[in-house]
Amino acid sequence: MIYPSNFESKLGFDEIRRLLKERCLSTLGKEKVDEIAFSTDVAQVNVWLQQIREFRRLQEEADDFPMQYFFDVRQAITRIRLEGTHLEEEEVWDLRRSLETINNIVRYLNRTDDGESEEPVHAASAKPGRPDTRYPYPALHDLAADVVTFPAMLRRIDSILDKFGKIKDSASMTLAGIRHELEKTSGSISRTLFTILHSAQKEGLVDKDVSPTMRDGRLVIPVAPALKKRINGIVHDESATGKTVFVEPAEVVEANNRVRQLEAEERREIIRILSVFTSEVRPHVKELLESYQFLAYIDLIRAKAELARLTKAFEPTVEAKPHMDWIRAIHPLLQLSLEKQGKKVVPLDITLTREKRILIISGPNAGGKSVCLKTTGLLQYMLQCGLSIPVGDRSTCGVFTNIMIDIGDEQSIENDLSTYSSHLMNMKQMMRQSDSQTLLLIDEFGGGTEPTIGGAIAEAVLKQFWKKQAFGVITTHYQNLKHFAEGHEGVVNGAMLYDRHEMQALFQLSIGQPGSSFAIEIARKTGIPEEVIKDASEIVGRDYIQSDKYLQDIVRDKRYWEGKRQTIHQHEKSLESKISRYEDELSEIERQRKEILARAKEQAEELLRESNKKIENTIREIRESQAEKERARRAREELNAFKQELADIDTRTNDEAIARKIRQLQERKERREQRKAEKRQKNAELEAQNGNNAQGGKANGNGSQPLAAQPPLKPGDTVRIKGLTSVGKIETTDGKMATVIFGGMRTKMRAERLEKAEPPKQETTKSQSRNESIVGAYGNISSETRNVIDNRKLNFKQDIDVRGMRGDEALNAVTYFIDDAILVGMPRVRILHGTGTGALRQLIRQYLSTIPNVSHYRDEHVQFGGAGITVVDLD
């Protein structure tokens, strides 16, 4: 029940209807706006809101929704129910375009998520109360499910109308013949008339710029009145000034008569064609009218969505119980009005539940009490009419069976009603009709009569509302009504806040404490003499003034602490957001850490496989040279130990254990590098003895004097590889190839790569006798040098990284690296120097080009480093 009868005008819902009509595309939607009505059906209200929600989403997601032609041809369709009537040409054209719009909308809404358009699902096959989730817009799809479309009728209209909405010549053979003859006759008339006109112009009877014109459907010539008898014909009309008469020459009178006759035949044939088409449409009148009802609903939903966008409204889910918990509720009409003035409306937080079902609002005049009351009533009424309401998206809503208001002055001279009498009439109706499903909205409760008795009657009426467990929002200035909330469960005070220092209303609702009317402060602000204010204060008494002052202080303090609470809440939300962001970042760091560990493990396994291959080759060479098997066994054990360390890293989940293991591996690697450096230094000291000779030989080779031809090599000669310092002895030779023993290792190479060298100096100390057995087995080399060579073979790596080194440092490292590679018989090595400016790459390649044992060098494949790595092939 809605009370009173002028409910909508009091709350401003009539203005909401006007705004909706302005956003409709046709009279179809405007009629539906007039049909909007208050509903207590929760399911129906939720369907209405869901339709708006989906249409707003559709407007955001799709730009191809068909909304072109919304023509209302229901009156014409209703008219053709009678036999002997027919649709006019323009009506058929409007029918064609609107039917096409209906057809396109139905097809669009019947599309499933995969983009395919399906036949509508009938109600019998759909689950009740649940939208069909196969469709992206299920509520709108249900609206279009049973709508009949008329593709055959569209094709029939296209056969008789052209793209401009005119009857085609091909609509019938008769019409085509008539129009052909009409065109031929009109052309003949034009030619004859122009001949007569030119002749008259030559004789000076007609001005040069005159052309034939049309009068009463007949072609005529404009002539001056004085010369009209000079042209043989019929005068049909004259101009308004009387200075021109329009003469139809006698030569074209019969032809014009024929044209009129053909035009009448054309009209009769068009009517016949339209009548035939109308007879085909007549059996489908009912379905057509239902289809236009669907078009009207779409127009209405679109208008609702546009209004929601205008007022920044939201479609909440409505629950099947009377309650409201609105956050940041705004009066839509007040919002639009203030936006035009460049101002902003203050949102309200309104709560009505079973525990706090009656809200008594007090506060200063012009402080926003009535606005709060009207906002509550208008938004609840809009909600139950199926409209979006401007509240926060965390708001919850319910439905009320009855909404009753008492706002404004209802005095009537005709009905002999005073202001107070009208209020009492409203109270009587409310007490009679209210129940636990009723929302009461009463402004200035108890006003209009003597305050004492008025306040007492208001309190008694309020008690009746309380007993019936009705919901309500009531504004008042009476102290007894403020005290009523303290002793009755379910009744709560509220205050419209007022800034006492700035002397202006804040328009904010604070629930929990009553508000002061600030009568003394407002009177002082308006300029009432201080003497009057002082007298008024003495009349009411000091106790009243102090209690009102205490009430103001309570409201002020509550506002202060409410501001603090909101600030703390905002800080908590900010902290929650930061914590969530940090947790996400930690998760990402953990994920990246695991990826890095996995990638490092893969690289280690790859290095392990490569090292395994190298060690296998070394072991094979050691076995071929009949070296001791104990060293091969130790190499195998070290390899297996390294494998186990990698496996341990993979199986441990404790982060500290993983980090500790990685540190151990790094320390072990550093110790290994240190030992290699020490061995490299010892090798350098051993090779320094032959360094000067090698430099002398190289200088002699680069001098201008040619060297003498090298004598042929024979078994037993001491030789070295050109460019290197290590020496060995030739075991056998066949002229081109020679077998040479370097440190107990036999290798076969071309003789041209060898050159004679001075044998090492023999010491005549006691150590000589101890080394004789070693010399006999491994050639002319010490045991220490032999150990160095063995360690180099076992620890040699195929790659060297010189990135970050200076040119001389890198060249020195590459020199030792190439020497070791040749010594251990490595066929291919890689030098990682990076790209950079290319200077280091060029320097290294210049050095490589001077080494005879380097057969070829090139860039690595682009997938493995490209120009940042040089691959060196050794003979």
Side-chain angles (χ1 to χ4, degrees):
M1 175 183 178
I2 299 299
Y3 179 86
S5 58
N6 60 348
F7 178 93
E8 291 190 359
S9 62
K10 279 183 170 292
L11 289 181
F13 191 76
D14 52 350
E15 180 66 15
I16 297 295
R17 289 188 190 271
R18 185 189 67 80
L19 292 174
L20 281 171
K21 288 183 178 180
E22 289 179 353
R23 281 149 185 81
C24 290
L25 299 175
S26 68
T27 55
L28 294 164
K30 293 178 181 178
E31 289 183 8
K32 288 298 178 184
V33 171
D34 291 331
E35 295 174 7
I36 290 177
F38 179 81
S39 174
T40 58
D41 186 348
V42 177
Q44 182 61 64
V45 172
N46 279 321
V47 167
W48 288 338
L49 296 177
Q50 180 66 16
Q51 289 171 351
I52 302 173
R53 193 180 298 117
E54 290 179 2
F55 198 90
R56 294 179 69 178
R57 181 162 57 87
L58 183 150
Q59 289 180 314
E60 294 174 357
E61 296 175 351
D63 55 359
D64 58 343
F65 187 73
M67 297 290 292
Q68 292 87 354
Y69 305 112
F70 278 68
F71 297 105
D72 186 4
V73 293
R74 291 175 298 171
Q75 184 176 357
I77 294 175
T78 304
R79 187 184 73 244
I80 65 172
R81 288 177 174 176
L82 298 175
E83 293 289 341
T85 58
H86 66 85
L87 294 170
E88 294 296 335
E89 195 173 6
E90 295 79 8
E91 294 172 341
V92 175
W93 179 232
D94 289 344
L95 175 66
R96 187 249 180 271
R97 290 183 288 175
S98 55
L99 284 181
E100 183 181 23
T101 299
I102 294 172
N103 188 31
N104 292 338
I105 292 176
V106 171
R107 185 187 302 114
Y108 191 97
L109 296 179
N110 283 340
R111 290 192 304 189
T112 56
D113 286 327
D114 56 6
E116 296 293 332
S117 181
E118 295 186 357
E119 292 296 326
V121 178
H122 297 291
S125 62
K127 293 182 179 180
R130 292 185 179 180
D132 195 335
T133 56
R134 294 179 300 163
Y135 303 93
Y137 311 106
L140 295 176
H141 164 73
D142 291 344
L143 193 64
D146 298 326
V147 176
V148 179
T149 57
F150 301 90
M153 190 178 296
L154 288 174
R155 291 192 295 270
R156 179 72 175 95
I157 296 175
D158 290 339
S159 69
I160 62 176
L161 292 185
D162 60 17
K163 62 181 180 179
F164 302 107
K166 302 300 180 182
I167 298 292
K168 291 181 178 180
D169 294 349
S170 59
S172 72
M173 294 296 294
T174 304
L175 182 62
I178 293 173
R179 287 184 173 177
H180 177 71
E181 185 176 355
L182 182 61
E183 182 180 0
K184 182 178 178 182
T185 305
S186 298
S188 176
I189 293 173
S190 297
R191 289 191 296 272
T192 302
L193 201 61
F194 272 102
T195 301
I196 297 172
L197 178 63
H198 291 157
S199 177
Q201 288 174 342
K202 289 180 181 179
E203 296 177 3
L205 303 178
V206 179
D207 293 337
K208 295 293 185 182
D209 57 349
V210 169
S211 60
T213 186
M214 188 73 70
R215 280 292 185 273
D216 297 329
R218 307 177 79 89
L219 282 172
V220 294
I221 298 175
V223 182
L227 302 174
K228 62 182 180 180
K229 295 183 179 180
R230 301 284 298 274
I231 298 178
N232 185 21
I234 301 172
V235 177
H236 282 278
D237 197 4
E238 67 178 12
S239 65
T241 59
K243 295 182 179 180
T244 304
V245 295
F246 300 95
V247 178
E248 180 185 12
E251 293 85 347
V252 298
V253 171
E254 289 299 326
N256 273 330
N257 290 338
R258 178 57 180 163
V259 168
R260 299 294 291 272
Q261 181 182 357
L262 289 172
E263 288 176 348
E265 292 177 2
E266 179 188 27
R267 178 58 187 166
R268 286 193 295 272
E269 180 62 18
I270 289 175
I271 291 175
R272 187 193 68 79
I273 293 171
L274 293 175
S275 298
V276 171
F277 172 73
T278 302
S279 64
E280 297 173 359
V281 174
R282 191 171 289 116
H284 305 289
V285 168
K286 181 180 179 181
E287 291 83 358
L288 284 169
L289 292 176
E290 291 175 352
S291 297
Y292 277 94
Q293 286 295 315
F294 166 74
L295 197 62
Y297 278 120
I298 294 296
D299 196 6
L300 173 64
I301 294 170
R302 177 192 171 277
K304 289 180 179 180
E306 292 297 326
L307 181 63
R309 183 177 292 105
L310 177 69
T311 58
K312 302 176 180 63
F314 170 69
E315 301 81 36
T317 300
V318 181
E319 300 176 2
K321 62 180 180 179
H323 82 286
M324 63 175 66
D325 185 6
W326 296 345
I327 302 172
R328 301 186 64 81
I330 294 175
H331 194 293
L333 301 179
L334 180 61
Q335 178 187 15
L336 296 177
S337 176
L338 292 179
E339 283 181 352
K340 294 179 181 178
Q341 305 173 31
K343 301 178 182 178
K344 291 184 177 181
V345 64
V346 179
L348 302 171
D349 293 345
I350 304 173
T351 303
L352 291 179
T353 63
R354 284 294 178 190
E355 294 74 22
K356 299 178 180 180
R357 61 182 180 274
I358 297 180
L359 174 63
I360 298 177
I361 303 176
S362 53
N365 290 318
K369 298 190 301 297
S370 298
V371 172
C372 179
L373 194 75
K374 290 184 177 182
T375 300
T376 304
L378 179 60
L379 295 191
Q380 186 63 39
Y381 190 74
M382 289 175 61
L383 181 71
Q384 293 189 233
C385 287
L387 297 177
S388 309
I389 57 175
V391 295
D393 56 4
R394 294 185 292 114
S395 303
T396 59
C397 308
V399 294
F400 295 89
T401 304
N402 307 310
I403 301 181
M404 302 181 182
I405 64 171
D406 178 29
I407 300 175
D409 191 355
E410 294 290 339
Q411 64 177 335
S412 171
I413 297 176
E414 293 81 1
N415 298 327
D416 194 21
L417 283 177
S418 66
T419 299
Y420 188 64
S421 298
S422 66
H423 285 312
L424 291 180
M425 289 292 294
N426 291 335
M427 295 304 104
K428 182 181 72 172
Q429 290 293 332
M430 289 180 178
M431 286 187 290
R432 180 181 300 170
Q433 302 293 338
S434 63
D435 55 20
S436 62
Q437 303 289 322
T438 300
L439 175 63
L440 304 173
L441 303 171
I442 305 174
D443 192 23
E444 300 294 345
F445 194 26
T449 189
E450 193 273 324
T452 303
I453 188 64
I457 293 176
E459 185 175 348
V461 173
L462 178 60
K463 190 173 183 179
Q464 293 298 315
F465 295 153
W466 175 75
K467 287 181 177 179
K468 293 191 174 187
Q469 296 187 344
F471 291 76
V473 178
I474 299 172
T475 65
T476 187
H477 290 282
Y478 289 156
Q479 292 291 338
N480 63 318
L481 297 183
K482 299 177 186 178
H483 297 318
F484 183 86
E486 303 298 330
H488 295 80
E489 185 179 357
V491 184
V492 63
N493 276 309
M496 300 305 297
L497 301 182
Y498 190 85
D499 191 333
R500 191 168 58 183
H501 300 289
E502 298 292 335
M503 296 300 294
Q504 64 181 10
L506 299 176
F507 304 107
Q508 296 177 2
L509 174 63
S510 175
I511 297 177
Q513 295 292 338
S516 171
S517 297
F518 293 92
I520 298 296
E521 287 78 3
I522 294 175
R524 185 176 287 113
K525 180 183 178 182
T526 55
I528 300 297
E530 192 64 30
E531 181 181 358
V532 175
I533 295 174
K534 183 177 180 182
D535 290 344
S537 300
E538 292 176 355
I539 291 171
V540 299
R542 181 177 178 83
D543 291 341
Y544 179 85
I545 296 297
Q546 287 298 323
S547 65
D548 194 59
K549 183 175 180 297
Y550 292 150
L551 189 61
Q552 296 174 16
D553 292 340
I554 291 172
V555 172
R556 180 200 62 200
D557 293 342
K558 182 177 181 181
R559 181 158 59 91
Y560 172 79
W561 290 113
E562 180 65 20
K564 288 289 186 182
R565 186 188 67 80
Q566 292 181 359
T567 302
I568 292 172
H569 180 65
Q570 291 175 357
H571 289 168
E572 287 178 349
K573 290 182 66 176
S574 176
L575 286 175
E576 290 175 359
S577 175
K578 290 179 180 178
I579 290 172
S580 177
R581 188 174 71 252
Y582 291 153
E583 288 178 349
D584 293 341
E585 290 177 354
L586 285 174
S587 299
E588 178 65 18
I589 291 172
E590 179 65 19
R591 185 188 63 80
Q592 292 179 359
R593 187 189 68 82
K594 291 181 179 179
E595 289 182 356
I596 291 171
L597 286 176
R599 192 162 55 247
K601 181 178 178 297
E602 291 177 359
Q603 293 175 353
E605 290 177 347
E606 178 65 26
L607 179 62
L608 179 62
R609 287 191 294 268
E610 188 174 348
S611 300
N612 191 17
K613 187 185 299 183
K614 294 176 183 177
I615 292 174
E616 291 291 346
N617 293 335
T618 303
I619 292 173
R620 186 176 63 251
E621 292 178 0
I622 292 174
R623 287 175 177 173
E624 290 176 356
S625 60
Q626 298 180 357
E628 57 191 27
K629 295 183 179 181
E630 182 63 24
R631 184 173 289 112
R633 185 182 62 80
R634 287 199 304 269
R636 177 68 68 181
E637 289 176 354
E638 291 178 1
L639 178 63
N640 292 334
F642 186 59
K643 287 182 179 179
Q644 186 61 39
E645 290 171 356
L646 291 176
D648 291 343
I649 293 177
D650 185 42
T651 55
R652 290 179 182 168
T653 57
N654 190 323
D655 291 346
E656 295 181 358
I658 293 175
R660 186 168 59 254
K661 197 66 181 177
I662 291 175
R663 286 197 300 271
Q664 292 175 358
L665 291 175
Q666 289 177 343
E667 292 173 357
R668 188 171 300 171
K669 180 180 179 182
E670 291 175 357
R671 291 195 298 269
R672 190 180 297 114
E673 292 294 335
Q674 186 176 0
R675 288 197 300 268
K676 288 174 63 177
E678 293 174 355
K679 293 175 182 178
R680 190 181 296 115
Q681 184 177 1
K682 291 180 180 179
N683 292 340
E685 292 175 356
L686 291 174
E687 294 170 357
Q689 300 174 0
N690 297 324
N692 293 330
N693 294 335
Q695 293 294 330
K698 184 178 293 186
N700 196 17
N702 293 333
S704 58
Q705 296 296 329
L707 294 174
Q710 179 176 295
L713 301 176
K714 59 183 182 298
D717 286 347
T718 300
V719 294
R720 63 164 172 255
I721 300 173
K722 293 179 180 178
L724 299 181
T725 58
S726 300
V727 297
K729 280 192 175 184
I730 296 178
E731 186 179 37
T732 61
T733 179
D734 59 359
K736 293 184 178 180
M737 301 296 293
T739 300
V740 189
I741 298 176
F742 288 101
M745 293 179 58
R746 289 183 178 84
T747 182
K748 194 171 184 179
M749 61 180 60
R750 292 195 300 273
E752 61 185 17
R753 292 178 54 192
L754 301 173
E755 62 182 0
K756 285 190 176 183
E758 294 294 331
K761 295 180 180 180
Q762 300 294 327
E763 298 179 1
T764 58
T765 61
K766 295 181 180 180
S767 62
Q768 181 176 359
S769 60
R770 290 195 301 268
N771 292 337
E772 288 179 355
S773 59
I774 299 176
V775 172
Y778 298 102
N780 192 13
I781 188 169
S782 66
S783 175
E784 184 178 1
T785 303
R786 172 63 188 174
N787 290 335
V788 170
I789 294 174
D790 290 342
N791 287 331
R792 287 193 183 183
K793 286 185 177 182
L794 292 175
N795 298 320
F796 183 82
K797 294 184 178 179
Q798 196 174 0
D799 299 340
I800 185 173
D801 189 352
V802 296
R803 290 176 299 178
M805 297 184 183
R806 295 194 302 270
D808 55 344
E809 294 177 345
L811 197 58
N812 189 40
V814 170
T815 301
Y816 281 112
F817 176 70
I818 295 297
D819 285 349
D820 290 346
I822 295 173
L823 183 63
V824 301
M826 188 62 62
R828 176 175 293 176
V829 294
R830 301 196 318 162
I831 303 173
L832 176 58
H833 45 67
T835 52
T837 61
L840 188 59
R841 173 175 175 268
Q842 184 179 1
L843 183 66
I844 291 172
R845 294 196 173 190
Q846 286 177 353
Y847 165 74
L848 293 175
S849 63
T850 64
I851 300 176
N853 299 83
V854 176
S855 62
H856 179 67
Y857 55 83
R858 57 179 173 81
D859 289 341
E860 178 63 280
H861 191 275
V862 68
Q863 293 182 349
F864 304 105
I869 299 175
T870 295
V871 179
V872 183
D873 292 327
L874 301 171
D875 290 334

